[in-house]
Amino acid sequence: MDFLNTHLLSLILFFPALSAIVMLFLPKDETRLLRWFAFAASLIPFALSLALWFSFNPTAVGYQFEEKYIWYAAIGSSLHLGVDGLSLTMVLLTTLLTPLAILASFSVTDRVKPYMMLFLFLETGMLGVFMAVDLLIFFVFWEVGLVPMYFLINQWGSANKDYASLKFMIYTMGGSLGLLLGIQLLGALFGTFDLAAITTNWTSAQGFLLGFPISTVKTVIFWAFVIAFAIKVPIWPFHTWLPDAHTEAPTAGSMLLAGVLLKLGAYGFLRLVLPLYPDQAKEFAWALALLATAAIIFGAFAAYGQTDFKRLVAYSSVNHMGFVVLGIAAAALAAGTADARIAMNGAILQMFNHGLSAAGMFFLVGVIYERTHTRNLNEFGGLFPLVPIYGGILIFTSMASLGLPGLNGFVSEFLVVRGSYPILTPYTAISMLGLLFTGAYILKGIRQVLHGPMNEHWTHGEHQLTEINTREIIVMAPLMALILVIGIWPAWILNVINNAVVHLF
Amino acid sequence: MFTSTTFLSILPETLILILGVILLIVEPFWKVKDPSSGGDEQRRNAGWLTAGGLFAVLVISVLVGRPGDPTSTFGSSIRFDWLGFFFKMLFIFGAGITALLLMDHEKVGRRGEAYMLLLASTIGMCLMASAADLITLYLAIETTSIPLYVLAGFMLTDEHSTEAGFKYLLFGAMTSAIMLYGFSLLYGFTGTTNLYALADAFKSGQLAAPVMFGLIVLIVVGLGFKVSVVPFHFWAPDVYEGAPTPVSGFLSTASKAAGFAVIARLFLVVFHDVAVDWAAVFAILSAVTMTVGNLLALPQKNLKRMLAYSSIAHAGYAMIGIVAVSKLGITSVVFYLLAYIVTNLAAFGIVMTVGRVTGSDEYDAYRGLSRRSPWLALVMLAAFLSLAGMPPFGGFIAKVLVFAAGIQANYIWLVVIGILNSIVGLYYYLNVLKYVYLFRMEKEDEEAHPIAVTRPYAIALVVLVLGIILLGTVFAPWFGFSNAAAMNLF
Amino acid sequence: MTFPVLSVIVFTPLTAALIILMIPAQRKTEARGVALAAATFALLLSLWVYIQYLTQHLTGYQFVEKYDWLPMLGISLHFGVDGISAPLVLLTGVVMFTGVLISWGDNNPHVMAGIQDRPREFFAFLFILASGVFGVFASLDLFMLFFFYEIAVFPMYLLIVIWGWIQTREYAAMKLTLYLFIGSVVALVGALAMYWVAGRNTGVYTFDMLQLEKAGFSASFQNLWFLPVFFGFAVLGGIWPFHNWSPDGHVAAPTAVSMFHAGVLMKLGAFAALRVGIMLLPEGAKHWSWVIMLCAGVAVVYGAFIAFVQTDLKYMIGFSSVSHMGLVMLGLSTLDKNGLTGAGVQMFSHGVMTALFFAVTGMIYDRSHTRQIPELGGMNKVMPFAAIGFIIGGLVSMGMPGFSGFIAEFPIFLGVWQSQWLVAVIASISIIITAAYIMMNIRKVFFGKMPEKLEGHMTDVTVLDKVAITTLCVLMIGIGIFPSVMVPMVQTGVQHILTLLGGA
């Protein structure tokens, strides 16, 4: 077991990719085999990350399970992995959602092999970002995750996939250009990419750089980083790629996109922006808060205005991620205070929670889309009597998203608001208004799908709507369980998060 | 005093003379049996005899006739040194190949006189290379020229050929008269005809600068004609086109090299101490020659004419080495001529081979050659790329050496012109290869029309191609010989 | 006596070319077989050299052989590889091997892929070219370097003119040959000047580059001659504004030749510019590095933009090569450790990548007879293997992490940051443009709907094609994931250059 203990992170990280390579040699027509293989291959990292969770020492400072391998000695970058409370949560979320997404994709029949392989590669890409303790490795996995997603949207998406996938790609790559340049500059400056070393050197850097005062340079790079992550989160006004990508992506793709990929952006704020640029973050926290508020309000309004069910859910992501950013802004402004920590805890938990509920919501949209081949809200209506179980699950998940007390969304949003209020009073106040609209659009969605006059189209004949099947329930079950558990007893996860927050900020 | 050295100094000439006599005796026995059925095959034996004999002369001379330290023989009228020897070997080689090429030229090669004229001209060239006295030199030049006039106009029934012979004669006679005038003035001012004695006279500065300049101009006219330097080049394209192809090849190679041999000896020995003056003149001549030759070669559609202009251009390149007035300069000229003779003979050999079958020297006749006869096409490729100065062929090394000498002597501008010119050259050489490799015969299956290569051509072309490649790859020994030749001038 | 591995590598293709020419014209398969055997042999030897260099942690010039060739002028046949040239020798081996594989073709009269017309001459010329390329990479003698350089250039003319794309081959071949010839002779003049001046300085007249490195050229001399020498060679490297021949040449050339051309020949230019320009004239390099940086920067961005608007697949790749070779030049112009290392790796990475691109494009063209992107589509259905290859190539081209392109481009940018940050920022625009056109074109060509007139005409690629694609992909991914299989080696070479530059 020694090997397992010392290589736990790299095992979790590379197992999906290696399985994908093994899949390459499986026959492409054996769809059942391929599906189960992929599912099994994604369960193992989940099991391992559970082991990781339980052997994690929440009270210890700094990174745990650190591993370091020579990778690119020439420029001072090494494959340096490690997790703290923050990344551990995200790793767990990723390894949980991937098997569910794969399970959700069992209905895919077109080119199963590359589809499943892309998912596994995607998982490795996402996990790598969360585990990286080296700036370059961070960037490597950041970009690596992009490619499978691009092809998932481009190949298995719906009608407007070409436009959406290219937009996704160009936005994200365009955003990461600044990040790349920033990382290059830091690397060129210090000759290493190790996060700890760079943080120490960079925050204490003085004098002139490239002929400018260092503070100017820092501000510029700060914004380069912020824009890269803001696009990924996405923060208004950089969010326009998201509804397109979500709408066109296959169901499981949307699940991971909303569940994990968006978190990469927020994680970037927490892992890189705040530690590397505390001063700039403080200076520009108001701007972040402003954008976050805008995201919350406009996201909610936009969601309300949608007639496409999936777009509605997509805009709700903008809305929900706004709270994450709000928490981050508050924490940046008042770093070190108790309020800041509360906001930060809320933001991180919100990331986790949104991962659960957004994945669930997208999956549920997918379930109904597979049966009706439409996502137009006006074409549904009164479906509850037809599909009561589905209806129940949908309502449950929506409530979590809405922030109903007792479910997880409430806990995190409350923490964010509670923490931010003393720090960013006006912004938080306006954002709380946004919560109201959140309720509005979610209820609108539920009403148009489940309630109201029944659309006779779905009651009989070939269009008869069928109930959610066992596999799909199995996909939803863990999500719902976690939603409920965190809603009722959040301490088990907050403990881990809080410890990281205390040490980090 | 008659010693073995005296004998050795004219060994090649003597052997060629003997060969000529044998030829004259034997040739009449190979009679035309039945002209109507092409039964004069036997007459080719004259060609085999000449070619074989010349190669035998070459081998014997190399084995026993190598010079030691430079010596003067025959009352100082002959100089026995490496410069002369090396050039002699070149001429004999060129003549031998020309004999092979002549053999299957129906109108020329089946007549013994042609070979006799060739031998006579070769003897003249050999003397040119070793002449150390103005009178010997002039006689040698005329001995070379007169048979060539006849050879150029050998095809009496062909008006182009007659025109070529006549034109060559008129130009040759005129320029040689001017040169002779120059020689006589030289004698008049210094009282000696011996080149080495003349050199001493110049060292002591007897002559006024304008006089010297005049003298040099007069001599340059004569020799410029021989090596077809612009503006004395007008005869070349017409003569080359009209003359029987192997004769054109001989004219453009051995005859030109003989001119250079004389230029090298005359200017480096006699006028060495006033080099500054004539080097500048030669530099300009070289630049103009290269440029005019190459530019005029560009629009040509007839391969023989194109080769004529390109050979003018090559004279220009070779001259860079003379301009440099240095050991490396002369070495490079000698090497250049060596590479050039081998390469250009190969080019003319192909023109001959193809022209014999197609009856035309136009570019169009070369369409689809690479399919009709892939090997011939490859030989052509090697020859033309060597002319263009591409490795691994001799032309590349030659060009690099010439340019290196130019740069060493600080004639950067001349080298730059040379480079620009070699680019133009590359263009038109490749243009021909395009016909060979790219274009197809119209409505014909090329593979049904192979080009027959008779044995003498095959031998000549194989020898030449091997030579081209050897010169371009294992260049050390050839450089060594060239260097040894050049050393004798300093 | 040790095995003269480098001269065997250099002369193997040449020998094979002669053997191939001896085979009767009708026996095409035998000609191909000999070609493949020779290519495999050369590949294995170059791989052996590479692995030896890598695993024994060698530095400096290794596997050195020296034979006097023309002692009077100080010319010797002097072979040796350092950390920069060893990967390039391997690259040549790889491209040669895969080039033969994909030229084998498919004799099915409906397909007629690969080279069916006169394969004997084709392989012979191609191999003469390969010998020249090997020779340049291995030569430590300036004269021999030129010698092999020219040998590598002239067969291009024939290869393009004879087997090229019928519409532009005459024009493109002539343009290419003239550009390259002009460049090389200009550099030649510079080299000869070096020879004389070094001789006067040291009293030893030699073309040996190891000695010329120590010749102590004066600063004014270096400043005068650096630009002609560097640009003379860099023409072959496709440097802006002398890049014009390159896309035309790519387009007109047959597949294997495009692979050689973009994959190896352009590296030849960059390599020679480095070895002769920067290493022998370091002061001049320092003095003029801004000019190179400027030209390279323009090439990077401009090439990407032009590639973006192309509708011909091969033109797109051709211009993307200009852009990527611009990155190599950019790396060279930094004259520092990171930039030079990146340039070294980029040469290899781009070589493999572009060879793959051209290989796949050729496979498509052979079957569809068009390279117009709007006329293509849905290729993924018939040739999924080729599609995957092209996509991987595309990702490398975009500089996607996990592939060799990233490993190469990252240090280049690091280097540029250290010398001119603004250039780094501007040049980085190309990354996003590249991503855009690569992704767009991959989608259009490989996915989407296959045009009706191609339906039924398309066949999958042959097994040999797949071997070629796999070989190339493995290299790109391998280096991307394990940079230490190449980078430390390149660094040893860079270290030597830095010493010459007087730096660390």
Side-chain angles (χ1 to χ4, degrees):
Chain A
M1 290 307 275
D2 235 22
F3 177 81
L4 196 65
N5 276 329
T6 47
H7 296 79
L8 198 51
L9 287 186
S10 41
L11 273 178
I12 298 175
L13 177 59
F14 291 116
F15 192 85
L18 292 177
S19 319
I21 292 169
V22 173
M23 271 186 92
L24 195 61
F25 300 101
L26 296 181
K28 68 175 178 197
D29 300 322
E30 299 282 336
T31 44
R32 272 179 64 87
L33 172 70
L34 290 167
R35 283 172 184 156
W36 284 104
F37 181 86
F39 184 59
S42 63
L43 274 182
I44 288 172
F46 178 58
L48 290 172
S49 60
L50 280 181
L52 186 69
W53 178 273
F54 289 116
S55 49
F56 183 79
N57 177 1
T59 53
V61 182
Y63 299 105
Q64 300 183 29
F65 302 100
E66 276 190 85
E67 292 176 41
K68 194 166 182 177
Y69 309 102
I70 295 172
W71 181 61
Y72 201 162
I75 57 173
S77 169
S78 52
L79 184 63
H80 190 176
L81 306 173
V83 287
D84 63 357
L86 168 61
S87 32
L88 181 61
T89 323
M90 291 299 121
V91 168
L92 187 67
L93 178 69
T94 312
T95 50
L96 170 67
L97 286 182
T98 311
L100 299 182
I102 287 176
L103 194 60
S105 317
F106 273 30
S107 53
V108 171
T109 51
D110 176 30
R111 286 171 290 165
V112 177
K113 183 163 134 180
Y115 181 91
M116 293 299 177
M117 283 171 63
L118 287 174
F119 261 99
L120 293 170
F121 278 125
L122 180 63
E123 184 178 13
T124 294
M126 297 184 299
L127 286 171
V129 176
F130 293 134
M131 291 178 182
V133 198
D134 182 287
L135 209 49
L136 192 60
I137 294 288
F138 179 93
F139 183 79
V140 166
F141 284 107
W142 173 271
E143 295 273 303
V144 163
L146 203 59
V147 179
M149 200 65 215
Y150 169 84
F151 282 105
L152 282 173
I153 300 178
N154 188 277
Q155 292 304 304
W156 288 271
S158 44
N160 205 10
K161 58 193 182 186
D162 288 347
Y163 171 73
S165 56
L166 195 64
K167 194 169 174 183
F168 166 75
M169 189 82 176
I170 297 300
Y171 258 72
T172 329
M173 278 205 82
S176 51
L177 198 61
L179 180 65
L180 176 66
L181 290 172
I183 290 178
Q184 281 166 354
L185 178 62
L186 292 178
L189 266 182
F190 302 123
T192 175
F193 288 92
D194 199 70
L195 202 50
I198 284 192
T199 314
T200 335
N201 288 330
W202 181 234
T203 44
S204 60
Q206 294 295 330
F208 282 81
L209 186 61
L210 311 172
F212 298 99
I214 196 113
S215 59
T216 317
V217 180
K218 277 191 179 178
T219 308
V220 172
I221 309 180
F222 166 76
W223 279 108
F225 274 59
V226 165
I227 290 175
F229 297 134
I231 287 178
K232 199 85 170 186
V233 169
I235 296 178
W236 184 90
F238 304 111
H239 67 285
T240 54
W241 63 271
L242 178 95
D244 288 316
H246 268 311
T247 319
E248 306 305 333
T251 302
S254 297
M255 286 172 73
L256 286 186
L257 189 59
V260 185
L261 281 176
L262 305 190
K263 308 304 171 294
L264 294 180
Y267 180 81
F269 273 108
L270 295 170
R271 177 62 75 217
L272 299 183
V273 176
L274 293 192
L276 284 176
Y277 310 93
D279 302 334
Q280 282 70 25
K282 194 166 181 171
E283 193 181 340
F284 295 105
W286 62 271
L288 271 184
L290 186 69
L291 295 181
T293 312
I296 293 170
I297 302 287
F298 293 138
F301 273 123
Y304 189 80
Q306 300 304 319
T307 53
D308 183 318
F309 198 13
K310 213 171 178 184
R311 279 188 100 83
L312 185 147
V313 180
Y315 275 108
S316 86
S317 286
V318 178
N319 168 291
H320 283 121
M321 291 305 289
F323 280 99
V324 176
V325 179
L326 184 67
I328 291 170
L333 195 58
T337 63
D339 291 330
R341 286 190 194 129
I342 295 174
M344 186 64 85
N345 271 315
I348 298 172
L349 187 59
Q350 171 78 346
M351 284 161 68
F352 192 82
N353 288 341
H354 177 254
L356 300 178
S357 61
M361 285 302 285
F362 275 115
F363 177 65
L364 291 170
V365 173
V367 167
I368 197 160
Y369 176 73
E370 268 173 25
R371 288 163 173 72
T372 60
H373 302 288
T374 177
R375 294 185 304 248
N376 192 334
L377 287 169
N378 296 326
E379 293 180 21
F380 299 128
L383 299 181
F384 196 85
L386 291 175
V387 284
I389 305 177
Y390 174 79
I393 295 174
L394 181 61
I395 291 172
F396 180 88
T397 318
S398 306
M399 288 304 127
S401 174
L402 181 148
L404 188 75
L407 298 181
N408 63 353
F410 174 76
V411 182
S412 51
E413 282 175 17
F414 177 80
L415 284 173
V416 169
V417 174
R418 159 67 188 83
S420 319
Y421 198 81
I423 303 167
L424 291 160
T425 316
Y427 298 110
T428 317
I430 300 172
S431 302
M432 285 167 77
L433 285 179
L435 277 177
L436 207 62
F437 298 112
T438 310
Y441 71 74
I442 286 188
L443 292 177
K444 175 199 166 188
I446 293 179
R447 193 196 72 220
Q448 293 215 332
V449 177
L450 297 178
H451 306 297
M454 186 188 288
N455 189 336
E456 298 294 327
H457 185 69
W458 308 115
T459 54
H460 56 271
E462 54 172 331
H463 297 298
Q464 167 131 41
L465 199 58
T466 49
E467 182 56 284
I468 186 167
N469 62 29
T470 324
R471 175 180 61 83
E472 289 159 344
I473 292 176
I474 293 174
V475 173
M476 284 308 293
L479 294 176
M480 287 159 59
L482 272 173
I483 286 172
L484 195 62
V485 169
I486 294 176
I488 295 168
W489 181 53
W492 64 274
I493 186 163
L494 271 176
N495 230 357
V496 174
I497 296 172
N498 187 46
N499 203 272
V501 169
V502 169
H503 290 297
L504 270 178
F505 309 103
Chain B
M1 204 174 82
F2 199 87
T3 63
S4 64
T5 319
T6 320
F7 171 69
L8 285 180
S9 68
I10 55 161
L11 176 68
E13 291 89 334
T14 319
L15 290 174
I16 297 171
L17 195 63
I18 294 169
L19 177 64
V21 172
I22 295 172
L23 183 69
L24 280 181
I25 295 169
V26 175
E27 196 263 347
F29 290 104
W30 292 316
K31 277 299 173 197
V32 182
K33 281 178 184 158
D34 181 8
S36 60
S37 64
D40 55 351
E41 277 294 304
Q42 260 197 338
R43 302 292 288 266
R44 288 166 81 211
N45 290 347
W48 286 117
L49 176 66
T50 315
L54 281 170
F55 284 111
V57 173
L58 186 72
V59 172
I60 294 169
S61 305
V62 168
L63 288 180
V64 300
R66 277 170 306 187
D69 290 329
T71 41
S72 296
T73 52
F74 295 101
S76 297
S77 67
I78 296 285
R79 185 82 170 175
F80 185 42
D81 59 7
W82 268 102
L83 181 72
F85 181 75
F86 190 72
F87 270 105
K88 282 180 194 174
M89 296 307 110
L90 266 183
F91 303 145
I92 294 171
F93 174 78
I97 296 289
T98 308
L100 283 174
L101 296 180
L102 269 173
M103 230 181 279
D104 278 316
H105 193 292
E106 264 84 3
K107 296 197 184 113
V108 184
R110 304 292 153 85
R111 295 172 62 180
E113 309 91 283
Y115 300 105
M116 198 52 224
L117 288 167
L118 183 70
L119 291 178
S121 171
T122 312
I123 292 174
M125 287 176 186
C126 291
L127 287 171
M128 271 169 86
S130 56
D133 186 284
L134 287 178
I135 296 167
T136 325
L137 181 59
Y138 185 73
L139 287 175
I141 291 175
E142 289 307 304
T143 316
T144 309
S145 300
I146 293 167
L148 286 178
Y149 300 147
V150 182
L151 273 175
F154 203 81
M155 298 183 287
L156 287 174
T157 50
D158 183 309
E159 56 181 56
H160 284 295
S161 176
T162 344
E163 183 198 330
F166 201 63
K167 205 167 201 167
Y168 192 33
L169 169 66
L170 286 181
F171 265 93
M174 188 179 77
T175 51
S176 110
I178 293 173
M179 183 174 61
L180 186 61
Y181 183 55
F183 283 176
S184 64
L185 285 178
L186 207 53
Y187 173 70
F189 279 112
T190 59
T192 175
T193 55
N194 185 284
L195 298 185
Y196 291 83
L198 279 168
D200 293 335
F202 277 98
K203 271 201 190 88
S204 50
Q206 283 179 7
L207 290 178
V211 175
M212 190 132 63
F213 191 75
L215 278 175
I216 288 174
V217 166
L218 290 176
I219 293 170
V220 164
V221 170
L223 294 174
F225 162 78
K226 272 255 129 345
V227 300
S228 64
V229 163
V230 175
F232 314 111
H233 67 287
F234 289 101
W235 59 277
D238 291 335
V239 172
Y240 286 7
E241 190 186 355
T245 309
V247 176
S248 309
F250 193 62
L251 277 177
S252 77
T253 54
S255 168
K256 187 170 282 201
F260 269 105
V262 174
I263 289 180
R265 199 181 286 277
L266 208 52
F267 283 82
L268 269 294
V269 171
V270 180
F271 302 120
H272 188 261
D273 290 287
V274 289
V276 238
D277 301 312
W278 57 259
V281 176
F282 272 37
I284 293 164
L285 280 181
S286 157
V288 174
T289 305
M290 284 188 274
T291 314
V292 170
N294 274 321
L295 290 182
L296 289 178
L298 267 183
Q300 301 305 325
K301 287 282 166 208
N302 180 300
L303 199 55
K304 267 168 93 176
R305 274 191 93 79
M306 188 275 265
L307 284 173
Y309 283 111
S310 98
S311 83
I312 295 173
H314 281 284
Y317 297 130
M319 230 167 202
I320 297 178
I322 304 267
V323 171
V325 199
S326 62
K327 281 174 199 160
L328 181 70
I330 300 304
T331 311
S332 72
V333 175
V334 177
F335 193 97
Y336 197 99
L337 290 171
L338 170 62
Y340 170 73
I341 285 181
V342 175
T343 308
N344 219 31
L345 277 175
F348 274 101
I350 291 155
V351 174
M352 182 63 220
T353 315
V354 176
R356 215 177 125 254
V357 175
T358 61
S360 161
D361 301 324
E362 300 296 313
Y363 285 4
D364 280 331
Y366 290 80
R367 284 174 176 273
L369 181 65
S370 71
R371 289 169 200 271
R372 297 174 74 173
S373 191
W375 283 102
L376 203 57
L378 278 176
V379 173
M380 192 158 170
L381 181 73
F384 276 61
L385 287 176
S386 178
L387 283 175
M390 284 288 189
F393 306 115
F396 172 74
I397 309 293
K399 228 166 227 168
V400 171
L401 288 176
V402 169
F403 289 160
I407 289 174
Q408 187 194 25
N410 251 328
Y411 272 100
I412 308 263
W413 66 270
L414 188 58
V415 174
V416 169
I417 291 180
I419 279 172
L420 292 177
N421 268 297
S422 54
I423 291 157
V424 177
L426 181 66
Y427 177 81
Y428 61 75
Y429 292 126
L430 286 183
N431 197 28
V432 178
L433 292 178
K434 201 160 69 186
Y435 282 82
V436 174
Y437 275 98
L438 173 62
F439 295 156
R440 309 283 300 255
M441 284 170 82
E442 276 172 30
K443 295 177 197 139
E444 299 268 12
D445 176 19
E446 286 95 344
E447 272 149 37
H449 295 79
I451 304 257
V453 182
T454 58
R455 185 173 295 158
Y457 292 136
I459 294 172
L461 290 176
V462 166
V463 168
L464 291 170
V465 162
L466 287 179
I468 293 174
I469 294 175
L470 276 181
L471 282 169
T473 49
V474 192
F475 38 83
W478 314 106
F479 183 85
F481 298 142
S482 311
N483 193 51
M487 293 306 273
N488 291 148
L489 291 178
F490 293 90
Chain C
M1 191 196 137
T2 51
F3 179 60
V5 60
L6 286 178
S7 32
V8 173
I9 291 179
V10 171
F11 293 113
T12 294
L14 201 60
T15 318
L18 294 180
I19 296 173
I20 291 170
L21 281 176
M22 300 295 172
I23 297 171
Q26 303 80 20
R27 310 180 76 168
K28 296 182 177 178
T29 317
E30 277 91 334
R32 293 182 180 123
V34 173
L36 185 60
T40 316
F41 182 63
L43 172 66
L44 290 177
L45 281 183
S46 51
L47 193 65
W48 184 80
V49 167
Y50 182 89
I51 290 174
Q52 288 291 312
Y53 204 101
L54 183 76
T55 53
Q56 301 190 7
H57 302 288
L58 300 173
T59 53
Y61 297 106
Q62 296 294 338
F63 304 101
V64 174
E65 302 165 38
K66 188 166 181 180
Y67 316 100
D68 276 340
W69 210 247
L70 184 44
M72 233 180 291
L73 291 183
I75 299 173
S76 55
L77 194 62
H78 193 175
F79 287 139
V81 288
D82 66 354
I84 294 179
S85 51
L88 292 173
V89 169
L90 175 65
L91 173 70
T92 313
V94 169
V95 173
M96 183 175 161
F97 175 70
T98 50
V100 171
L101 283 183
I102 65 112
S103 302
W104 196 294
D106 187 339
N107 214 0
N108 179 345
H110 297 294
V111 183
M112 290 300 280
I115 298 295
Q116 303 302 332
D117 174 33
R118 290 178 283 175
R120 182 178 71 150
E121 279 90 345
F122 179 82
F123 286 119
F125 291 145
L126 191 69
F127 278 20
I128 291 173
L129 190 158
S131 264
V133 174
F134 276 128
V136 173
F137 287 143
S139 278
L140 294 181
D141 184 281
L142 192 53
F143 186 88
M144 281 299 168
L145 187 138
F146 268 102
F147 186 82
F148 286 115
Y149 190 89
E150 299 286 358
I151 291 184
V153 167
F154 83 77
M156 281 298 281
Y157 177 80
L158 295 164
L159 287 166
I160 294 179
V161 144
I162 304 175
W163 292 276
W165 185 41
I166 201 148
Q167 295 189 26
T168 60
R169 59 187 179 191
E170 274 185 72
Y171 167 75
M174 190 60 93
K175 185 167 170 182
L176 174 143
T177 315
L178 293 183
Y179 259 80
L180 300 188
F181 191 65
I182 293 173
S184 71
V185 286
V186 169
L188 178 65
V189 176
L192 291 174
M194 278 186 227
Y195 170 75
W196 292 119
V197 172
R200 268 173 225 148
N201 284 356
T202 62
V204 183
Y205 287 90
T206 177
F207 280 100
D208 193 326
M209 289 202 273
L210 301 187
Q211 305 221 24
L212 288 176
E213 283 174 0
K214 302 178 208 129
F217 298 115
S218 69
S220 58
F221 174 82
Q222 301 203 17
N223 292 347
L224 174 64
W225 284 107
F226 177 75
L227 282 188
V229 171
F230 188 91
F231 274 91
F233 285 120
V235 169
L236 182 51
I239 196 168
W240 183 89
F242 305 113
H243 65 284
N244 230 325
W245 58 276
S246 144
D248 284 326
H250 288 312
V251 171
T255 306
V257 177
S258 294
M259 288 169 71
F260 247 93
H261 173 185
V264 182
L265 274 182
M266 292 179 83
K267 312 303 166 296
L268 213 62
F271 175 79
L274 171 70
R275 175 108 338 146
V276 183
I278 293 176
M279 288 172 76
L280 298 187
L281 302 169
E283 289 303 319
K286 284 186 204 161
H287 189 255
W288 291 112
S289 66
W290 64 274
V291 176
I292 305 165
M293 188 171 278
L294 193 73
C295 291
V298 173
V300 170
V301 179
Y302 169 86
F305 271 104
I306 302 289
F308 185 80
V309 297
Q310 297 304 317
T311 56
D312 183 310
L313 202 51
K314 254 184 156 177
Y315 265 112
M316 180 203 93
I317 303 169
F319 278 104
S320 88
S321 285
V322 172
S323 173
H324 283 112
M325 286 307 292
L327 280 173
V328 173
M329 296 294 174
L330 202 58
L332 295 183
S333 72
T334 62
L335 302 179
D336 85 350
K337 182 170 148 242
N338 286 327
L340 290 170
T341 309
V345 183
Q346 171 78 347
M347 281 200 257
F348 186 88
S349 160
H350 175 253
V352 177
M353 172 196 95
T354 200
L356 177 65
F357 269 156
F358 279 117
V360 175
T361 307
M363 292 168 201
I364 294 173
Y365 178 76
D366 282 338
R367 293 167 174 81
S368 68
H369 304 289
T370 179
R371 290 186 308 253
Q372 288 298 315
I373 295 165
E375 294 175 17
L376 294 167
M379 296 299 154
N380 183 40
K381 290 193 195 77
V382 282
M383 36 174 83
F385 205 89
I388 291 174
F390 198 88
I391 289 170
I392 291 178
L395 296 177
V396 174
S397 166
M398 287 158 60
M400 189 52 75
F403 299 96
S404 56
F406 180 76
I407 301 302
E409 286 175 22
F410 201 86
I412 292 179
F413 276 99
L414 277 188
V416 180
W417 267 112
Q418 274 157 337
S419 43
Q420 250 320 320
W421 64 274
L422 194 61
V423 176
V425 173
I426 294 172
S428 68
I429 296 171
S430 71
I431 296 178
I432 190 93
I433 310 281
T434 309
Y437 69 75
I438 293 279
M439 281 300 160
M440 231 166 55
N441 290 329
I442 284 179
R443 194 193 71 224
K444 285 181 187 159
V445 173
F446 290 100
F447 303 111
K449 197 174 149 21
M450 187 180 285
E452 268 173 30
K453 74 175 184 190
L454 296 182
E455 286 284 357
H457 293 292
M458 302 299 287
T459 51
D460 197 1
V461 297
T462 63
V463 179
L464 294 176
D465 293 344
K466 287 183 182 174
V467 174
I469 293 174
T470 315
T471 313
L472 296 169
C473 286
V474 163
L475 283 169
M476 294 189 290
I477 298 173
I479 294 170
I481 296 179
F482 305 107
S484 46
V485 300
M486 180 164 293
V487 178
M489 191 163 146
V490 174
Q491 263 189 322
T492 62
V494 168
Q495 208 56 48
H496 178 59
I497 303 174
L498 291 178
T499 321
L500 293 175
L501 284 164

